[in-house]
Amino acid sequence: MVNMHPYNTVKTRIDTLAHRCGRNPQDIKLVAVSKSCSVDDIQAAYDAGCRDFGESRIQEALEKQPHLPIDIHWHLIGTLQKNKVNKAVESFGLIHSVDSVVLAQKTSEESQRRGVTTSILLQVNVSGEVSKHGLSPSEWREALERVNSLPFLEVRGLMTMAPFVEDEEIVRSCFHQLFQLRDEFKQRVVQPALFTELSMGMSHDYPIAIEEGATILRIGTAIFAQ
């Protein structure tokens, strides 16, 4: 018997959990977090069916990309510094970590300079932890109009990280707040039909994220045993 790749194991569990809470599994994208993974490890996950990979460090991703299939959809999930925006634009299909208006403006300017439209998520610090990046929900409420007016950007939704705690209700509350915020902002953004994504849930808490409406799961350890 051929051993199943961990990607397939995780994907099967996601499908099962989605059905259990009345969701369509096709509405949930699994992003394999491949930071620190070798090209061979990524290729093995690709061969198992994965097409979405998440990287935290731009330079590491750029070194890997030429050695891997061109139909991979790359996600930037790590902190994006303003001086690295020029390298991120055009290298990633979706930037999850736009954590300020200034960073959104810089991404807009660089996209305009290159004549491309960049898809982004707004990173929200729902938990209020000082260690987490992103604006608070109230800060994004005040800043949304400024991001709305920026050209050459497609704001596709929101991203957050829940606290790494054993209390599931704290985690669930964070994810539920992001779901509510997405629906609130959807009424205010320029392109509401595009504002659909909720990037939330990692290896330790993705079952809760599925129950609370996640559309993108960022899973590394459960796939690559990092």
Side-chain angles (χ1 to χ4, degrees), residues 117-214:
T117 298
T118 301
S119 295
I120 66 169
L121 302 178
L122 306 180
Q123 184 169 357
V124 187
N125 185 351
V126 178
S127 69
E129 293 176 286
V130 294
S131 60
K132 297 284 195 301
H133 289 267
L135 299 183
S136 69
S138 60
E139 288 171 331
W140 273 124
R141 285 189 183 96
E142 295 178 4
L144 189 61
E145 294 305 323
R146 282 179 284 164
V147 176
N148 250 338
S149 65
L150 295 173
F152 295 89
L153 291 183
E154 284 186 355
V155 185
R156 302 298 303 272
L158 306 175
M159 183 271 258
T160 199
M161 296 176 65
F164 195 86
V165 295
E166 292 185 6
D167 189 336
E168 291 187 359
E169 290 310 308
I170 293 176
V171 175
R172 187 177 300 280
S173 175
C174 285
F175 292 157
H176 186 65
Q177 287 181 65
L178 198 74
F179 178 89
Q180 292 180 314
L181 197 65
R182 191 271 313 268
D183 285 359
E184 174 189 331
F185 285 5
K186 196 177 180 68
Q187 310 303 315
R188 297 175 55 194
V189 295
V190 174
Q191 297 173 294
L194 295 177
F195 196 83
T196 59
E197 304 292 3
L198 286 174
S199 174
M200 58 188 195
M202 300 189 294
S203 290
H204 61 286
D205 58 17
Y206 74 84
I208 302 172
I210 291 171
E211 293 174 355
E212 294 300 329

Side-chain angles (χ1 to χ4, degrees), residues 25-72:
Q26 294 184 353
D27 294 336
I28 304 170
K29 181 173 293 181
L30 170 54
V31 174
V33 178
S34 51
K35 63 179 182 179
S36 304
C37 293
S38 69
V39 168
D40 288 344
D41 288 339
I42 297 172
Q43 183 67 54
Y46 176 93
D47 292 341
C50 186
R51 294 296 180 270
D52 291 87
F53 291 88
E55 291 283 332
S56 295
R57 303 176 187 88
I58 293 175
Q59 190 57 42
E60 180 183 336
L62 295 179
E63 290 170 1
K64 295 173 181 177
Q65 288 175 354
H67 305 287
L68 289 159
I70 60 173
D71 63 335
I72 285 178

Side-chain angles (χ1 to χ4, degrees), residues 211-224:
E211 293 174 355
E212 294 300 329
T215 65
I216 302 175
L217 306 173
R218 310 181 306 271
I219 298 178
T221 303
I223 295 173
F224 297 110

Side-chain angles (χ1 to χ4, degrees), residues 5-18:
H5 190 278
Y7 167 80
N8 301 117
T9 304
V10 173
K11 186 69 171 65
T12 298
R13 188 176 183 217
I14 290 170
D15 292 352
T16 299
L17 291 168

Side-chain angles (χ1 to χ4, degrees), residues 82 85-86 89 101-116 118 150-153:
K82 291 189 290 293
V85 169
N86 62 327
V89 170
V101 176
V102 172
L103 185 56
Q105 291 171 332
K106 181 70 174 177
T107 306
S108 171
E109 292 167 3
E110 186 62 32
S111 299
Q112 184 169 13
R113 191 177 73 81
R114 292 170 178 258
V116 299
T118 301
L150 295 173
F152 295 89
L153 291 183

Side-chain angles (χ1 to χ4, degrees), residues 69-100:
I70 60 173
D71 63 335
I72 285 178
H73 192 250
W74 293 98
H75 298 247
L76 181 61
I77 62 171
T79 301
L80 175 58
Q81 298 173 335
K82 291 189 290 293
N83 62 355
K84 298 287 181 64
V85 169
N86 62 327
K87 293 183 178 181
V89 170
E90 292 191 283
S91 298
F92 296 90
L94 182 62
I95 298 174
H96 292 228
S97 47
V98 174
D99 59 7
S100 68

